Amino acid sequence: MGWIGLVERWRQRSVGPGPLFAATALVVLLLDPWALLDVGAWLSVTALAGATAATRWSDRAIARSGLVRVVAGSIGATAFTAPVAAFAL
């Protein structure tokens, strides 16, 4: 995901988090098709999506301080991964 974001910045393109997550998941699935059945891959993708969504929300709604971003990211990752973890049990 970092490499895709870096290439897009180098190309002076603005990429939203949704297409970036989709491209990253596609690359992971192309390299390891069995990742689709791996709960760890599900948790990784949902944790990153939750942290990103909550951080972007907190930047707009609350403040752009470091502490607020860390707490919001942690809460977002936990909230997004909870259904996957419950399903995996």
Side-chain angles (χ1 to χ4, degrees):
M1 186 170 149
W3 282 106
I4 295 171
L6 183 65
V7 167
E8 292 305 310
R9 284 192 182 234
W10 177 70
R11 294 178 61 204
Q12 297 179 354
R13 305 260 177 158
S14 177
V15 179
L20 192 56
F21 289 135
T24 303
L26 180 63
V27 168
V28 168
L29 287 176
L30 289 175
L31 294 175
D32 182 19
W34 290 105
L36 186 62
L37 302 175
D38 186 24
V39 176
W42 297 355
L43 289 170
S44 296
V45 170
T46 56
L48 192 54
T52 302
T55 302
R56 290 171 56 98
W57 173 82
S58 71
D59 285 350
R60 289 188 310 267
I62 302 172
R64 198 175 174 129
S65 84
L67 181 62
V68 171
R69 295 185 84 182
V70 168
V71 171
S74 297
I75 292 171
T78 302
F80 273 53
T81 57
V84 175
F87 173 74
L89 292 177

